């Protein structure tokens, strides 16, 4: 079987995906028309060509501007529904989805509006084809810790359907230590915790995420390779890294896909996984991220299977569910 066929055939989990980063230019255009919002673009095509970034911040500026078209419950429903449809096409059977409440509450869109829309789409997809979904509420690290604490409190009516909290947005200048208290509170409340670290930020931010935030997983983390002691710890504890190849290329974390270190990390025994991050902004959903590892790095079948098994191992599913999916992967 050709590797691209195998990639498609294997059931997979996706663990690093921002729902706001799945907004397609077509839906952005449609919602702007619907709400009478003036976009700084004159066509869907112009939106697409604007998706060229020089670093994380240049992407975030566009990403937050794009999210402004999301206003009503129906908008959030459509957004989630479209991503879960992609999951079906890409054979993503389990997905742990990040959402950024502050991106919406700060524009006057309350929790009830986006959560109700998300839940309606998730319930429908679960009923239709059985996809399994967890939600990760991410705090924006360019805002204050006090704002994150308020957000954690405001989310209380939705605690039952939120599995984890995360940390995203502008990394440089906003180290994990800034959020130590809110992460402690979240842990005490029983949430799993993840954090973006070592995407643009130095290895020290990964140390902080591990030692101060007690994270269960690191989002990105590719810069751990600059610190041998850190690599050894991540390997020893099998702390998962949710790596996003196309994102790293688009945001110039790497210069060229041929220099990506994901397969080296894998061969060194780290629990690395493949993910799409913000697929409509970075030019590919999950299977496209796998495909580029074959075309640019020569990923072989054994590595591909290991990355897919890692996606379940690194997930928040329970051990029985993890083993059941891994057996299914082995049977293909
Ligand atoms: N990094 C930080 N914040 C983000 C990202 C990312 O890759 N995507 C969406 N928010
Ligand atoms: Zn991300």
């Amino acid at each position: 079987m050709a590797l691209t066929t195998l990639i498609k055939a294997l059931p997979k989990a996706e663990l690093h995906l921002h729902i706001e980063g799945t907004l397609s230019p077509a839906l952005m255009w449609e919602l702007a028309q619907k709400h009478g919002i003036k976009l700084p673009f004159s066509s869907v095509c112009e939106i697409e060509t604007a998706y060229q970034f020089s670093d994380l911040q240049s992407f975030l500026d566009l990403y937050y501007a794009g999210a402004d078209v999301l206003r009503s419950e129906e908008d959030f429903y459509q957004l989630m529904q479209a991503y879960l449809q992609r999951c079906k096409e890409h054979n993503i059977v389990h997905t742990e989805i990040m959402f950024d409440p502050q991106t919406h509450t700060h524009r006057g869109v309350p929790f009830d509006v986006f959560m109700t829309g998300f839940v309606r789409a998730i319930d429908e997809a679960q009923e239709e084809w059985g996809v399994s979904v967890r939600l990760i509420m991410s705090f924006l690290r360019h805002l204050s810790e006090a704002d994150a604490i308020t957000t954690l409190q405001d989310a209380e009516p939705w605690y039952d359907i939120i599995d984890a909290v995360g940390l995203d947005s502008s990394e440089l200048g906003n180290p994990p230590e800034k959020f130590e208290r809110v992460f402690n509170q979240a842990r005490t409340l029983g949430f799993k915790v993840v954090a973006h670290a070592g995407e643009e930020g130095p290895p020290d931010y990964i140390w902080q995420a591990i030692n101060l935030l007690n994270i269960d997983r690191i989002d990105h983390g590719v810069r751990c390779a600059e610190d041998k002691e850190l690599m050894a710890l991540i390997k020893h504890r099998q702390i998962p890294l949710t790596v996003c190849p196309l994102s790293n290329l688009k945001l110039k974390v790497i210069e060229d896909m041929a220099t990506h270190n994901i397969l080296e990390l894998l061969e060194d025994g780290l629990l690395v996984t493949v993910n799409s991050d913000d697929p409509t902004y970075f030019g590919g959903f999950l299977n496209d991220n796998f495909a580029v590892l074959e075309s640019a790095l020569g990923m072989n079948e054994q590595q591909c299977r290991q990355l897919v098994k890692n996606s379940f191992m690194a997930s928040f599913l329970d051990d029985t569910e993890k083993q059941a999916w891994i057996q299914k992967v082995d049977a293909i």
Side-chain angles (χ1 to χ4, degrees), residues 244-290:
C244 309
L246 287 173
S247 164
N248 293 156
L249 183 67
K250 275 284 199 177
L251 300 188
K252 302 201 174 358
V253 168
I254 51 164
E255 268 178 35
D256 184 335
M257 193 55 83
T259 65
H260 203 294
N261 63 1
I262 182 169
L263 295 184
E264 285 156 37
L265 298 174
L266 181 73
E267 292 300 327
D268 278 343
L270 273 67
L271 186 55
V272 288
T273 64
V274 180
N275 307 272
S276 70
D277 206 4
D278 301 285
T280 49
Y281 289 88
F282 300 150
F285 283 81
L286 186 58
N287 290 350
D288 309 304
N289 277 272
F290 273 97

Side-chain angles (χ1 to χ4, degrees), residues 79-145:
L79 181 72
M80 182 62 82
Q81 202 258 348
Y83 168 62
L84 294 176
Q85 183 58 38
R86 292 292 191 151
C87 288
K88 193 175 176 189
E89 289 160 20
H90 285 240
N91 211 356
I92 299 167
V93 294
H94 175 72
T95 176
E96 301 185 356
I97 303 173
M98 282 181 253
F99 66 102
D100 292 337
Q102 290 150 300
T103 299
H104 313 302
T105 53
H106 279 235
R107 298 180 292 117
V109 178
F111 256 91
D112 277 5
V113 171
F114 51 86
M115 293 309 286
T116 315
F118 290 155
V119 169
R120 182 156 67 94
I122 293 167
D123 286 350
E124 252 180 46
Q126 275 172 341
E127 200 156 305
E128 187 204 323
W129 63 282
V131 62
S132 128
V133 179
R134 307 276 167 114
L135 290 176
I136 303 171
M137 176 169 76
S138 281
F139 302 122
L140 299 181
R141 67 201 305 158
H142 66 274
L143 300 176
S144 68
E145 186 184 46

Side-chain angles (χ1 to χ4, degrees), residues 16 18 98 168 196 219-220 244 277-278:
H16 183 162
H18 303 262
M98 282 181 253
D168 61 11
H196 284 54
D219 292 316
H220 295 295
C244 309
D277 206 4
D278 301 285

